[in-house]
Amino acid sequence: MAGLELKAIQKSYGAVEVIKGVNLEISHGEFVVFVGPSGCGKSTLLRMIAGLEDISAGELWIAGKKCNHVEPRDRGIAMVFQSYALYPHMTVYENFGFGLKLAKTPKDVRDRKIRDAARILQMEHLLDRKPSQLSGGQRQRVAIGRAIVRQPEVFLFDEPLSNLDAALRVDMRMELANLHRDLGSTMIYVTHDQVEAMTLADKIVVLNGGVVQQVGSPIELYQRPENLFVAGFIGSPKMNFTEVTIDSINGGQVTVSGADIQPTELSADTTGLGEGDTVTLGTRPHDLLADASGNISGHVSLVERLGNETNVSLKLRSGATWLVVLDGDRELRHGQELQLGIEDQKAMIFDAAGQARHMA
Amino acid sequence: MANPTSRAYARRSTYPGWFFLPAAIIYGVLFLVPTFASLYFSLTRWSLFSSEFIGLTNFYQFFEEPFLVQGLVNTVIFAMITSGLKVVLGLLLAVLLTSRIALRGYLRSVVFFPVLVSTVGVGITFTVLMHPTQGAINVALELVGIDGPHWLTNPSLALYSVALVDVWKGVGLATVIYIAGLVAIPKDYYEAARIDGSTPTQSFFYITLPLSRPATVTVITLSFIGGLKTFDLIWAMTRGGPGFSSDTIASIIYKQYQAGFYGLSTAGNVVLFVLIALLVVPLTMYLNRREGHE
Ligand SMILES: Nc1ncnc2c1ncn2[C@@H]1O[C@H](COP(=O)(O)OP(=O)(O)O)[C@@H](O)[C@H]1O
Ligand SMILES: [Mg+2]
């Protein structure tokens, strides 16, 4: 069983601290996605798990063994690089078999494993090609094949799909999901694309500035983001925010109002909040609806009619622009005034420290 | 999409035709004229002021030169030893100088420095250093109890001693070529290989060596041609001696020239040119054929 445990992992380059104490448990067979903006330390964290980067402080445990100083080949991992890193002078067959050859695996066993992997990826007819003779998608599969052949306990992926075009990316995403189901191995996947994270992950780890912001299932992160960063990062299109003041508190209910919004009652965890406090209200574009008696009003600044839904950019009184996704086709004019309501109180309150105040 | 554009570029040259005139004149005056003139003079008895057409006599005479065969053999041995050693040492030094070591930039300059020094100066310096009894090399060897050989005065050793000095002087250029080749190899390959279980030695043989092949081809070609033409170092250190034991074709030609046989030595140069072409053209064709596979 190959679970992983990261205990207070840190990484510094000289005086610059890039990973600031990450604690994480990954159980066997889980598909975990590290997601966060560019430069937040996702690759660094993954490379420390792979053994390509020294761990400055903290402990890394893989399958119950402390691995801080274990060579990459002895960690039971395989890695797929963003650049694929296929050996250009070797054929696909040799790329697949390089690790086995170094491990002195007998030739017949090696051959069988290579052909098995090629069959899984449906590229048996390409085994004699060199990487330069393959398309981008095919190279991607070779990179994955090279990992499969090693039969690792843990697969590591560093933005593996970012060099593919959009259509191919969707295909490969599904293939990776299937692969995970078929092999049942632990997979750790790095991406800056939250859609990839939402669709692939059992568990998402949101990173920002070298700090874990939240760990949870995709739906948890979408429905109950713990702070402003996660709320803004997960979900597409992005959540809308506006500053509001607390008018009154009544048990688990709080009434807020602000420049952009008439008094509105929401449920929230009100511990420590008081009347007159300034908080941030967040609501997702899909949770707003056109409502003549709604609490929010603004002027239409852009309309995108997609047929099944209509994307509207709305300029609010405070000057903020909100994105609203309305069901069905709407004929809206530029500059027209629009009244909006929030569906089923689906709005979140974030306190001054940026922490979400969900009801328990 | 790239194709039609590049074809259009090929048809319509960027610069007007007369731009190439200066280069053509220089090339014609300094290269074409002397080449054809030397082809002509190799067929004459030539004393600088007068020349008399004598057909292929110079060539017959050149091939009757008593030590020509030994000179030929020496030339090829010299070229093979020096280019072989430059490849091996150049690659090893380049690997060392691209790894994370202290004083890397300084050491790169140190290795390249001999390339900048005059060959004759190097030859004279090493002749002193290689003196059998008072030379620094043998004095140093004696300190550790080794009786140093007679580097330049032992007929079976002289050619090899000069070859070593040539390697010392030329390895910097090979190293620089290899460094350029090595830094162009993406670091990802080494990381992927490490995960595949490759030790540093295995990474060298499976990644570095095959991927630095273009640099190897350049180093072999350059140093092999240089070795076949070699003259100045031999002349500065041994003058082809002792006896004729370290004579190369170029030094034989020079001796004929010194003796006033201009037509004869010009014929020798033509022979040297043909020899280089006969050896180097198939060599580069072989090296480039394998390279084209990548
Ligand atoms: N070798 C290095 N030396 C110094 N800083 C580095 C090095 N590698 C990465 N960093 C820094 O660490 C941070 C995280 O990098 P990385 O893990 O590659 O981010 P991500 O993969 O999330 O985009 C970045 O700010 C980057 O500049
Ligand atoms: Mg990255």
Side-chain angles (χ1 to χ4, degrees):
Chain A
M1 300 300 275
L4 278 89
E5 203 175 340
L6 279 64
K7 295 182 184 168
I9 295 270
Q10 289 180 25
K11 176 73 190 178
S12 312
Y13 291 108
V16 185
E17 204 178 356
V18 175
I19 299 290
K20 300 166 185 165
V22 167
N23 290 292
L24 191 63
E25 264 185 61
I26 297 170
S27 38
H28 176 77
E30 244 181 337
F31 199 126
V32 177
V33 175
F34 295 170
V35 70
S38 195
C40 70
K42 308 177 295 285
S43 297
T44 306
L45 194 56
L46 192 77
R47 289 163 56 80
M48 283 195 282
I49 296 174
L52 295 173
E53 214 72 69
D54 291 333
I55 297 171
S56 304
E59 292 182 2
L60 170 71
W61 292 72
I62 301 176
K65 191 169 121 192
K66 189 176 165 193
C67 283
N68 284 43
H69 299 292
V70 174
E71 270 295 302
R73 64 166 170 275
D74 301 322
R75 294 189 182 197
I77 51 121
M79 182 158 168
V80 176
F81 291 79
Q82 180 173 4
S83 64
Y84 312 147
L86 303 178
Y87 311 122
H89 53 298
M90 301 184 195
T91 61
V92 171
Y93 185 94
E94 290 163 335
N95 265 283
F96 276 16
F98 186 57
L100 298 175
K101 184 171 154 187
L102 294 179
K104 300 207 166 61
T105 313
K107 228 185 172 128
D108 50 327
V109 181
R110 207 195 306 168
D111 187 69
R112 206 187 60 236
K113 288 185 174 182
I114 293 171
R115 290 187 190 284
D116 281 350
R119 195 172 320 115
I120 292 174
L121 294 165
Q122 292 159 19
M123 48 189 338
E124 290 145 298
H125 59 295
L126 298 174
L127 283 174
D128 293 329
R129 299 253 188 109
K130 291 262 177 76
S132 59
Q133 298 164 311
L134 300 175
S135 71
Q138 289 168 334
R139 286 180 206 180
Q140 172 63 74
R141 302 158 88 88
V142 177
I144 293 172
R146 194 168 62 182
I148 293 178
V149 169
R150 288 174 54 74
Q151 293 180 319
E153 303 267 4
V154 184
F155 281 88
L156 306 175
F157 297 93
D158 191 355
E159 311 224 11
L161 305 186
S162 55
N163 290 336
L164 302 179
D165 62 60
L168 209 49
R169 195 144 51 194
V170 174
D171 289 348
M172 282 308 296
R173 209 162 71 195
M174 284 193 259
E175 242 178 274
L176 281 175
N178 290 340
L179 195 68
H180 176 240
R181 197 194 50 223
D182 295 344
L183 299 177
S185 333
T186 311
M187 295 193 173
I188 305 178
Y189 186 105
V190 162
T191 180
H192 64 270
D193 178 354
Q194 55 97 17
V195 177
E196 255 171 49
M198 295 294 281
T199 49
L200 283 169
D202 296 321
K203 183 154 98 185
I204 296 181
V205 178
V206 182
L207 281 165
N208 189 31
V211 177
V212 174
Q213 301 293 318
Q214 190 173 357
V215 179
S217 73
I219 285 305
E220 264 168 21
L221 296 193
Y222 184 83
Q223 291 178 340
R224 296 175 73 87
E226 273 172 19
N227 55 40
L228 274 172
F229 179 81
V230 177
F233 194 78
I234 298 289
S236 172
K238 273 173 66 120
M239 188 182 271
N240 300 305
F241 297 106
T242 186
E243 281 207 345
V244 292
T245 317
I246 297 179
D247 296 334
S248 65
I249 297 177
N250 177 16
Q253 293 294 105
V254 44
T255 305
V256 297
S257 63
D260 295 330
I261 189 164
Q262 304 294 316
T264 303
E265 201 179 38
L266 298 168
S267 53
D269 171 9
T270 56
T271 4
L273 294 181
E275 286 174 16
D277 286 358
T278 302
V279 293
T280 303
L281 177 142
T283 180
R284 296 201 182 274
H286 283 95
D287 294 335
L288 292 162
L289 32 85
D291 177 356
S293 61
N295 292 341
I296 303 160
S297 75
H299 293 275
V300 174
S301 62
L302 189 73
V303 186
E304 294 172 339
R305 292 166 67 183
L306 303 177
N308 63 328
E309 55 184 28
T310 308
N311 296 341
V312 184
S313 296
L314 204 65
K315 191 113 180 156
L316 301 186
R317 214 168 300 142
S318 69
T321 303
W322 276 22
L323 189 71
V324 184
V325 179
L326 300 175
D327 282 343
D329 186 36
R330 308 278 174 136
E331 227 173 300
L332 293 168
R333 277 176 297 104
H334 180 87
Q336 173 186 344
E337 178 151 1
L338 189 64
Q339 296 284 127
L340 295 174
I342 300 172
E343 193 181 337
D344 297 338
Q345 292 199 338
K346 279 192 192 158
M348 300 166 194
I349 295 291
F350 300 89
D351 61 24
Q355 293 301 306
R357 295 312 197 101
H358 301 293
M359 285 293 284
Chain B
M1 201 193 106
N3 254 348
T5 346
S6 57
R7 228 179 290 135
Y9 263 98
R11 243 181 279 123
R12 200 160 35 85
S13 169
T14 319
Y15 299 108
W18 53 266
F19 261 44
F20 103 118
L21 264 181
I25 290 170
I26 291 172
Y27 181 76
V29 171
L30 297 181
F31 185 82
L32 285 184
V33 173
T35 303
F36 284 102
S38 72
L39 277 178
Y40 167 73
F41 282 121
S42 70
L43 303 172
T44 65
R45 180 171 297 126
W46 180 28
S47 64
L48 286 190
F49 305 108
S50 63
S51 61
E52 175 195 347
F53 191 82
I54 52 166
L56 291 174
T57 315
N58 281 329
F59 288 89
Y60 296 136
Q61 212 182 331
F62 183 79
F63 282 109
E64 277 165 12
E65 177 74 39
F67 291 95
L68 180 72
V69 174
Q70 178 165 19
L72 268 174
V73 172
N74 281 351
T75 306
V76 175
I77 289 179
F78 188 89
M80 295 206 312
I81 289 182
T82 53
S83 58
L85 281 178
K86 282 176 194 172
V87 164
V88 174
L89 294 176
L91 180 55
L92 292 181
L93 281 170
V95 169
L96 185 73
L97 294 178
T98 47
S99 56
R100 277 193 256 163
I101 52 166
L103 300 176
R104 190 172 67 179
Y106 170 73
L107 289 174
R108 283 188 188 181
S109 325
V110 168
V111 170
F112 192 69
F113 178 69
V115 178
L116 305 173
V117 188
S118 106
T119 312
V120 174
V122 168
I124 293 170
T125 310
F126 269 91
T127 310
V128 175
L129 293 176
M130 287 178 162
H131 187 277
T133 50
Q134 279 133 43
I137 296 176
N138 280 3
V139 170
L141 286 177
E142 209 171 346
L143 286 180
V144 291
I146 298 173
D147 192 11
H150 291 202
W151 299 100
L152 298 173
T153 45
N154 178 345
S156 53
L157 206 60
L159 182 72
Y160 301 98
S161 302
V162 180
L164 285 185
V165 176
D166 184 72
V167 171
W168 178 86
K169 173 155 170 42
V171 76
L173 190 60
T175 307
V176 168
I177 293 171
Y178 268 119
I179 286 177
L182 292 190
V183 296
I185 301 176
K187 161 171 114 349
D188 285 5
Y189 296 156
Y190 293 100
E191 296 189 336
R194 238 183 111 192
I195 288 182
D196 269 336
S198 180
T199 62
T201 319
Q202 286 171 323
S203 291
F204 174 80
F205 283 107
Y206 287 115
I207 311 275
T208 310
L209 202 53
L211 292 184
S212 59
R213 188 185 176 84
T216 306
V217 171
T218 309
V219 171
I220 289 184
T221 313
L222 282 182
S223 53
F224 196 72
I225 294 175
L228 289 176
K229 291 196 306 186
T230 197
F231 163 72
D232 39 9
L233 198 62
I234 298 235
W235 199 253
M237 293 183 72
T238 66
R239 295 185 188 249
F244 300 89
S245 62
S246 63
D247 256 330
T248 61
I249 300 199
S251 68
I252 291 174
I253 293 169
Y254 185 73
K255 285 176 185 171
Q256 294 165 341
Y257 166 80
Q258 263 193 327
F261 299 110
Y262 301 131
L264 178 62
S265 71
T266 312
N269 266 319
V270 173
V271 171
L272 180 58
F273 173 78
V274 172
L275 175 78
I276 291 176
L278 284 181
L279 290 175
V280 172
V281 170
L283 177 73
T284 48
M285 270 166 55
Y286 170 74
L287 293 173
N288 286 323
R289 180 178 56 88
R290 295 272 311 274
E291 186 186 23
H293 244 294
E294 272 171 30

